[in-house]
Amino acid sequence: MVSPRGPPRARPKDMATPGPLLPPYGVVVGVLLRLVVYLVAVLYSYAEQLFLKKDDNKIKKQDTPAVCDLHCCKDVPVRNGLIGQKSPSINPERLKDFGEEDYLNGDVKTWEMKIVSRNEELLREALSCIPQPSSRASLASCNKLIRFEDISAAAFKIQCGVQKTPCMYSRLSKQYGMEIYLKKEFLQYTGSVKERGVLYLLMSLPQEQQRKGVIVASDSNFSMAVAHHAAELGVPVFVIVPSTTAPARVRTCRDYGAMVLSYGATAKDAQLHARRLAQENGYLYLEEEDSAVYLSGLGTVGLEMYEQVPKLDAVIFPAGGHCGLLAGSAAALKHLNPQISVIGVESESFPVLQQSLKAGHPTDDQACNNHHFYGDVSGVCFGSNSLQLTGKLVDKVVAVREEDILIAMLRLLEYERATVDAEGAIGLAALVAGKLPELRGKRVAVVICSGNLELHLLQQCIARALTLDNRVCRFSLVISDCPGDMSKLLEILAREEVRVLDIKQERTFVTSELFTVQVICTVETRDKIHTAQLRNALLERYPTTAWTER
């Protein structure tokens, strides 16, 4: 019987039976081999990086000295930019054991400050230097000279914290036959150029050290700059001064915001006491040195002068033992224009810089018997970095007398209405003394770096300078003790237009004739020519007139 669906359909001839579902064996083996090779390469790279990190850590541990070796050594001061062993926080009760209680007024406060940015890589070499215990300099112990980029970085960071002081044309130019421009750094808030280096130094400290605080031990311009800028940055600051410090200096440091402690009779006693406090309380002991950070801050003076006065021929700086300003500014000026002559000036009484340059290393055998007058200029040479920069970049170093410095102070007071100290006037003293005749007719800039002169010294300096400038003179003569003779003498003085400052009469201890009186008179004249005219007029009327030589 035939099916109603009809005969079965024939299968198409082109349809083949399905093969196996897995890929060929050779393809699988190739993929697996590639995967194994890739995993081996990844594991090898990871292992290599791991071993390299371990080797770097071993090298760092070998090169880095122990923390206690840097900060717990009793014979070596704690240095800038390095953090020591973690110590207890500031404790006023502990400070009472070390300082006089009369100076511990009020509680000690601490501040916390967050540093937003890290130090520029331009100064990384300077900050990473490890101090040697046997060396006087700390950060400066690595003999790496600062670069112009370091000074530019310092100028950018401190521009909001210090004044950009004017560099103005001076009326003294006509008197000395050259164009004189005065860089008035004494107009800084603390009256000193040291603010520039101090501010950059404090801003470069790590955050942890800024929280703990800093301590200094002197009554110098450096200490006052630290007191002011540390307080402005919120860093606890302590100033240790000897008992012989002027009360005005102590009051000034306190007004800036520092805690001032009086200890010992000498500066050395105060320094030892400050180092002990730093070790006990974790403060950072700061002292003026020639680290790259500090010199870069001071070098911003040269950068500003080059911008303010075009076509400079020469720049005169104070020198002496603390020649950081000279060295740092010379680095900036010589980079911008190698043709500018950089000249340093120091005192003939202690030519520390000249002797150090001659010896090839810092010397500290020069003693100063008049520290209160000379200030920071009278210090010993404090580092090899400044000396190396000075020998390489400074064209000339001259020495001046104390009399020349006093006359320069008088000139600045009269012509510029500027009250400066010996450190501020020593640069101009080289022009007053005629030590630089090659600068006549040229454009010269002089740095007036400091104006912190104590009042009792100001009076003595002015009186002495007037005498040295032949404007205050004293003479003695013998006249008869009769009515009218004194008036005749006064008539001569009035005719010569001199100002009588003092007049004395001696009748008892007179070796001349009886009924005579010896008159000792102190007068003020206009200048040396006026003094000579007065002398001739008196000798004509009183041949026995005797002049007191200065």
Side-chain angles (χ1 to χ4, degrees), residues 1 134 147 170 177-179 234 264 286 298 303 313 349 368 372 394 399 403 430 432 465 487 519 525:
M1 187 171 87
S134 60
R147 301 170 296 171
S170 174
M178 63 188 73
E179 294 185 48
L286 293 178
L298 294 177
L303 193 62
D313 294 314
S349 303
C368 175
H372 293 288
V394 175
E403 292 82 356
V432 172
S487 62
V519 179
T525 59

Side-chain angles (χ1 to χ4, degrees), residues 350-385:
F350 36 90
V352 181
L353 183 57
Q354 290 180 336
Q355 293 194 0
S356 298
L357 291 173
K358 185 181 297 184
H361 58 82
T363 59
D364 54 359
D365 56 348
Q366 290 287 333
C368 175
N369 298 324
N370 198 0
H371 169 71
H372 293 288
F373 173 70
Y374 285 102
D376 295 344
V377 180
S378 61
V380 297
C381 193
F382 58 56
S384 58
N385 274 1

Side-chain angles (χ1 to χ4, degrees), residues 231-251:
E232 290 293 316
L233 294 174
V235 178
V237 54
F238 302 87
V239 179
I240 313 299
V241 297
S243 57
T244 56
T245 303
R249 293 255 173 170
V250 176
R251 183 174 61 253

Side-chain angles (χ1 to χ4, degrees), residues 462-476 493 496-503 519-536 538 545-550:
I462 293 176
R464 180 64 174 161
L466 289 171
T467 304
L468 294 170
D469 203 26
N470 294 292
R471 292 162 57 181
V472 172
C473 53
R474 176 178 295 176
F475 60 88
S476 62
L493 298 179
E496 295 298 329
E497 297 180 350
V498 298
R499 181 188 174 196
V500 179
L501 300 178
D502 186 26
I503 188 167
V519 179
I520 304 173
C521 191
T522 304
V523 297
E524 181 181 358
T525 59
R526 291 188 298 270
D527 49 29
K528 188 176 182 179
I529 299 177
H530 192 197
T531 302
Q533 293 176 355
L534 174 63
R535 186 170 186 172
N536 294 333
L538 291 174
T545 302
W547 287 79
T548 303
E549 299 295 335
R550 47 182 185 141

Side-chain angles (χ1 to χ4, degrees), residues 107-124:
D107 297 331
V108 180
K109 298 181 180 180
T110 61
W111 296 267
E112 292 187 1
M113 183 174 182
K114 184 178 180 181
I115 305 299
V116 178
S117 62
R118 302 290 295 176
N119 297 327
E120 283 81 355
E121 292 194 7
L122 298 173
L123 299 175
R124 182 176 55 192

